[in-house]
Amino acid sequence: HIDHWLFSLAIAALASMQWILQEFEDTHKLAAALDRLEFPYTVHKVVPFVGDLIPEPEITDPCNVVMFGSYGLWRNAAKNGYRPGVFKLRPFVYEVPWQPFMLNGPDAVFLTVAEVPSLLTGEGDWFVRPVSDSKEQPGKVLSANEMRSIAEKVVSLDEHEIPLGSLRHETTLMFTRPASISKEWRVWIVNDKVVTFSLYKEGTRILYRREIDGDAMGFVEDMIAANPGFAPAYVMDICRTDEGLKFLETNCINAAGFYEADVVKLAVAIDGLATNQTV
């Protein structure tokens, strides 16, 4: 059985990555997998907006540390020189090989938050997300009025009043019209290989199952091959629409929900990056 094989393989080798987990409901799944694999980890609270960890971790080797939790952990990783730490990503929308396949791509409307009140005119709904690989605002469908109201509140604040990790005046947002989607999948990719996957939405229903259609897996593999080396580890979301399979977005693997992913396989793959320090 492949899970038993992975488990035996991991136990047989000394884990070389030190895992730092933020206290989160979703990281409990990862902690359970690390327990099975006997990989060393510690769990911490994070000081809001500052990023300091409580308690402060005792680091054996800063070049073999990986962090999972909220996206803001990248600041802590950068400050302490942890590698790989957090796998920050380039904005996916600018990746030319993927652009022909994107549901929300270069044909979108791009506005900074400061531009939204005056330039986002008219009514109707928009799918909105930051262009950068960040969690300042999760991708979601909002009405034009809702988005203008959010932007007006942000612009009414001075920059120093806005907490780190929140929408700021200069945050660039991508606006596209909502599409009809029948299925959405999340796929975890390490070293340009699919490690695990999960269905997370079918029509309007949120549901998690460890499954993916055969042509959808082929589509993911084609996307990886079209843009190899995008990042040592990342998450790709894809969907099925009336016009076929489409590329939705990439996400930081350290801060992406696990849904029904095989977290044991993911932990083994991430731990294997200890000998590859390219970030």
Side-chain angles (χ1 to χ4, degrees):
H1 191 281
I2 191 166
D3 283 347
H4 182 266
W5 176 81
L6 281 168
F7 180 72
S8 299
L9 176 66
I11 295 299
L14 287 175
S16 49
M17 194 80 80
Q18 183 175 348
W19 296 71
I20 294 177
L21 309 185
Q22 182 176 352
E23 176 57 49
F24 257 173
E25 181 178 350
D26 219 37
T27 55
H28 293 172
K29 297 180 184 178
L30 181 54
L34 298 175
D35 282 334
R36 280 188 62 193
L37 296 165
E38 297 187 0
F39 286 178
Y41 72 93
T42 51
V43 180
H44 307 262
K45 294 182 179 179
V46 178
V47 179
F49 313 125
V50 177
D52 292 342
L53 302 182
I54 301 174
E56 191 70 21
E58 297 181 6
I59 302 301
T60 303
D61 178 3
C63 290
N64 280 313
V65 175
V66 66
M67 310 178 82
F68 274 77
S70 63
Y71 183 79
L73 285 173
W74 73 264
R75 295 186 181 88
N76 188 287
K79 180 177 74 173
N80 292 292
Y82 297 153
R83 295 175 64 86
V86 171
F87 300 98
K88 292 191 70 179
L89 306 179
R90 303 186 299 270
F92 73 90
V93 71
Y94 300 136
E95 297 297 304
V96 174
W98 287 336
Q99 287 178 351
F101 309 95
M102 292 179 185
L103 181 65
N104 307 307
D107 57 343
V109 175
F110 297 92
L111 298 172
T112 65
V113 172
E115 292 172 329
V116 167
S118 59
L119 296 183
L120 186 67
T121 58
E123 304 302 325
D125 292 338
W126 294 91
F127 175 79
V128 186
R129 63 152 287 160
V131 169
S132 65
D133 172 46
S134 68
K135 302 297 179 184
E136 295 161 325
Q137 175 175 300
K140 62 172 63 176
V141 175
L142 296 167
S143 70
N145 284 336
E146 287 174 319
M147 194 60 238
R148 283 191 290 264
S149 176
I150 291 170
E152 286 165 0
K153 289 176 182 176
V154 174
V155 174
S156 71
L157 300 172
D158 291 333
E159 289 283 356
H160 71 272
E161 296 178 295
I162 301 174
L164 291 174
S166 301
L167 289 175
R168 309 186 75 80
H169 298 197
E170 71 277 8
T171 303
T172 301
L173 301 172
M174 180 173 71
F175 294 82
T176 55
R177 291 298 185 183
S180 177
I181 297 174
S182 58
K183 286 184 177 181
E184 298 179 48
W185 294 274
R186 173 159 292 176
V187 182
W188 287 258
I189 299 160
V190 179
N191 273 342
D192 287 339
K193 302 291 185 184
V194 173
V195 175
T196 185
F197 45 80
S198 176
L199 177 74
Y200 64 88
K201 194 173 182 182
E202 193 166 45
T204 59
R205 295 185 303 147
I206 302 296
L207 74 168
Y208 305 145
R209 292 199 298 262
R210 192 176 301 163
E211 64 181 43
I212 188 168
D213 295 346
D215 61 339
M217 177 62 82
F219 180 79
V220 170
E221 291 170 343
D222 288 345
M223 294 301 97
I224 296 169
N227 197 15
F230 173 66
Y234 63 104
V235 165
M236 181 187 297
D237 289 353
I238 68 163
C239 65
R240 188 180 299 283
T241 73
D242 294 340
E243 298 178 355
L245 293 163
K246 295 290 183 180
F247 184 110
L248 271 174
E249 62 184 14
T250 58
N251 281 286
C252 173
I253 202 168
N254 308 75
F258 293 122
Y259 303 149
E260 278 298 312
D262 187 325
V263 188
V264 170
K265 286 184 181 178
L266 181 61
V268 170
I270 294 289
D271 197 73
L273 293 174
T275 57
N276 179 0
Q277 298 304 320
T278 302
V279 178

